[in-house]
Amino acid sequence: GAKVLACPLNACPVAPASRSSQEVWDSFSQCFTPAVREVVEFAKSIPGFQSLSQHDQVMLLKSGTFQVLMVRFCSLFDAKERAVTFLNGQTYSLASLRALGMGSLLDAMFDFSEKLGSMGLEPDEMALFMAVVLVSADRSGIVDVGAVEQLQENLIKALRSLITSRRPDDSTLFPKLLLRLPDLRTLNNHHSDKLLAFRIDP
Amino acid sequence: FNDPANNLGLEDIIRKALMGNLEERQE
């Protein structure tokens, strides 16, 4: 009867059955709100982002926040040890997370983290990649698509320039990195479904 | 439930974080 919300940002991933679903959600919401605020602050630091209309900023953040967080926290997923360290400091093995009902989403997150981790990006490269991730988010609801496309083009150029100048002998890294964008989209959809399922039927 | 970000409360948090910045700038 325990209520399970096994997200690495959740300080209390397993709640007793006596707690109401709303209480469990409110507690989880308090855990992820600071992380979402940090993504908003990060977005504001992207050159050109604040030139977009506020409506379009909100639309990009709505569809891109989870994807940015997935990149930011992919180091919490230890593919070698097959374990995830939550932000509360506790480490959960893959087996224990499976017992908590984490299935294909968890596998996809490990897969993504392993692929991204293997690229060995520097912190500034990772930050620029996160900026590309954010402006590459779902365009539904965007009013000025041209402005978002222009910003995306500028950021992709900057990322390509940074990566290729540091690794002139490796022409494969940049295209490999861009291939992670559709992976993130798929993860985002899967993750939304999982959270909505909890909201509808905890 | 056709807009996950609304139903998960994400949009509200995002708007407040963006608006907070606007209010600070106005001050």
Side-chain angles (χ1 to χ4, degrees):
Chain A
K3 294 185 172 72
V4 178
L5 250 174
C7 167
L9 302 185
N10 197 357
C12 185
V14 184
S18 57
R19 292 187 73 190
S20 75
S21 302
Q22 191 57 47
E23 283 174 333
V24 172
W25 182 264
D26 289 345
S27 158
F28 176 47
S29 180
Q30 284 181 13
C31 296
F32 72 68
T33 295
V36 174
R37 286 195 189 121
E38 282 175 23
V39 175
V40 174
E41 288 307 310
F42 167 74
K44 291 193 297 200
S45 74
I46 299 170
F49 186 83
Q50 293 198 78
S51 303
L52 301 174
S53 69
Q54 197 178 344
H55 170 85
D56 287 351
Q57 291 179 36
V58 172
M59 290 299 125
L60 288 178
L61 282 161
K62 271 173 66 174
S63 50
T65 291
F66 164 75
Q67 298 177 59
V68 172
L69 288 174
M70 184 65 226
V71 174
R72 186 177 162 197
F73 290 124
C74 80
S75 59
L76 298 176
F77 292 75
D78 187 337
K80 202 179 284 178
E81 299 294 328
R82 306 307 282 171
V84 185
T85 301
F86 281 38
L87 284 188
N88 63 9
Q90 197 162 345
T91 299
Y92 293 83
S93 68
L94 191 57
S96 63
L97 289 168
R98 284 205 198 290
L100 292 175
M102 297 288 286
S104 55
L105 176 60
L106 182 67
D107 291 329
M109 285 176 161
F110 263 110
D111 190 42
F112 175 84
S113 301
E114 196 167 14
K115 282 179 184 164
L116 189 63
S118 71
M119 293 182 188
L121 295 184
E122 301 287 338
D124 56 348
E125 293 166 335
M126 196 65 101
L128 198 42
F129 176 59
M130 287 195 289
V132 169
V133 167
L134 189 62
V135 297
S136 302
D138 186 0
R139 297 279 155 80
S140 60
I142 296 288
V143 173
D144 192 347
V145 175
V148 175
E149 281 176 351
Q150 185 60 58
L151 180 57
Q152 181 190 36
E153 200 178 311
N154 294 344
L155 290 167
I156 287 177
K157 269 185 196 165
L159 180 62
R160 182 171 53 207
S161 169
L162 184 62
I163 285 181
T164 53
S165 66
R166 283 197 183 142
R167 301 171 187 79
D169 299 329
D170 184 359
S171 60
T172 63
L173 187 63
F174 178 69
K176 271 188 201 164
L177 197 49
L178 291 189
L179 283 174
R180 302 284 71 81
L181 296 175
D183 291 352
L184 276 169
R185 286 264 196 122
T186 307
L187 277 175
N188 187 41
N189 294 337
H190 199 155
H191 181 257
S192 291
D193 289 346
K194 190 96 177 160
L195 283 182
L196 284 174
F198 180 89
R199 291 293 275 156
I200 296 165
D201 184 18
Chain B
F1 283 97
N2 54 6
D3 186 346
N6 281 344
N7 290 297
L8 301 173
L10 195 58
E11 179 164 354
D12 190 41
I13 300 165
I14 289 167
R15 282 193 185 280
K16 280 181 182 157
L18 281 170
M19 297 283 279
N21 184 55
L22 288 177
E23 282 161 14
E24 278 168 28
R25 275 194 279 169
Q26 280 166 5
E27 283 167 13

